[in-house]
């Protein structure tokens, strides 16, 4: 698949899912920003590992090469563009940071306390394992965008996801207030607003 097609199809869908998750979870502004920063950390660690993999010839990403006649902005050479995206696909990092970073961190935050805490723990320990197994299976069966160039890709993949995921989650936990605190603040604001409206109605009736 061409990277442009990947951007239009996959990234557009990811953004819609991200917005839907925000409407469902209803995080405060501080929690939302913390989740985005956590996802950014996950993406940056992914880029760092891709830099290591590129120099060590451990893996590269497989996208359809652009046609030689295809024109790019600022007169970028199509082959130079192809070489860049097969090692550092920016669009892939955005979707990874949002899906496996920001959305998952928000879900863990939402369910980490209470009767559904098991779901938060499942995400906390299951997502890195899922990403490892997904990359291993995809690279082994040649059904993913990731293609291993040597056995070192296996070792680097096993290290990548726990480090990236938990680094982003640690930053998120440090910056985000707990769900209980946010709900208490929200309830307090709603009570103040209800009291204000009640006072306005009382003043209006007296007139």
């Amino acid at each position: 698949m061409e990277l442009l097609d990947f951007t239009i199809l996959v990234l557009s869908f990811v953004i819609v899912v991200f917005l839907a998750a925000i409407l469902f979870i209803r995080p405060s502004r501080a929690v939302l920003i913390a989740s985005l920063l956590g996802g950014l950390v996950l993406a940056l660690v992914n880029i760092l590992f891709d830099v290591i993999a590129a120099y060590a010839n451990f893996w590269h990403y497989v996208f359809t090469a652009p046609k030689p006649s295809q024109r790019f902005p600022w007169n970028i050479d199509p082959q130079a563009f192809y070489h860049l995206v097969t090692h550092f696909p920016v669009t892939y990092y955005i979707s990874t940071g949002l899906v496996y970073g920001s959305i998952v961190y928000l879900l863990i935050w939402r369910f980490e306390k209470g009767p559904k805490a098991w779901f938060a723990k499942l995400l906390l320990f299951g997502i890195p394992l899922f990403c490892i197994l997904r990359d291993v299976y995809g690279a082994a069966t040649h059904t993913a965008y990731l293609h291993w160039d040597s056995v070192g890709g296996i070792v680097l993949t096993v290290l990548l996801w726990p480090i990236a995921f938990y680094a982003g989650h640690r930053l998120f936990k440090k910056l985000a207030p707990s769900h209980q605190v946010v709900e208490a603040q929200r309830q307090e604001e709603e009570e103040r607003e209800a009291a204000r409206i009640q006072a306005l109605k009382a003043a209006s009736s007296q007139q």
Side-chain angles (χ1 to χ4, degrees), residues 108 118-130 165-166:
I108 293 173
W118 63 268
F119 179 64
K121 291 181 180 179
L122 178 64
L123 292 175
L124 184 62
F125 299 108
I127 290 299
L129 179 61
F130 168 78
F165 182 82
Y166 292 121

Side-chain angles (χ1 to χ4, degrees), residues 21-185:
I22 292 175
L23 292 175
F24 169 71
I25 300 171
R26 297 177 63 217
S28 66
R29 181 181 300 179
V31 174
L32 177 59
I33 293 174
S35 74
L36 291 172
L37 291 175
L40 177 62
V41 169
L42 186 151
L44 291 175
V45 174
N46 195 345
I47 293 174
L48 174 62
F49 272 73
D50 280 346
V51 170
I52 297 172
Y55 279 99
N57 293 319
F58 283 165
W59 69 57
H60 68 275
Y61 295 89
V62 180
F63 290 97
T64 303
K67 298 177 181 178
S69 59
Q70 187 172 350
R71 300 186 64 180
F72 290 88
W74 306 291
N75 295 321
I76 297 176
D77 178 64
Q79 293 304 317
F81 171 82
Y82 178 65
H83 178 74
L84 176 65
V85 300
T86 53
H87 289 91
F88 310 105
V90 176
T91 305
Y92 175 79
Y93 301 132
I94 296 174
S95 60
T96 299
L98 287 177
V99 174
Y100 299 107
S102 185
I103 293 178
V104 172
Y105 297 153
L106 287 175
L107 288 171
I108 293 173
W109 171 82
R110 174 63 181 81
F111 296 109
E112 65 182 348
K113 300 293 183 181
K116 296 183 179 179
W118 63 268
F119 179 64
K121 291 181 180 179
L122 178 64
L123 292 175
L124 184 62
F125 299 108
I127 290 299
L129 179 61
F130 168 78
C131 290
I132 292 172
L133 295 177
R134 179 204 59 191
D135 286 354
V136 170
Y137 176 80
T141 59
H142 305 288
T143 56
Y145 298 117
L146 184 67
H147 177 79
W148 285 339
D149 299 317
S150 72
V151 181
I154 302 176
V155 178
L156 210 60
T157 298
V158 172
L159 293 175
L160 162 61
W161 288 112
I163 293 174
F165 182 82
Y166 292 121
H169 183 256
R170 182 173 182 179
L171 178 64
F172 171 75
K173 290 286 289 183
K174 184 177 181 180
L175 298 178
S178 68
H179 182 255
Q180 289 76 13
V181 170
V182 171
E183 285 300 307
Q185 292 174 346

Side-chain angles (χ1 to χ4, degrees), residues 26 183-197:
R26 297 177 63 217
E183 285 300 307
Q185 292 174 346
R186 186 172 290 155
Q187 184 175 357
E188 184 179 345
E189 291 173 359
E190 290 175 352
E191 290 175 353
R192 283 202 304 264
E193 182 64 18
R196 187 183 69 84
I197 294 174

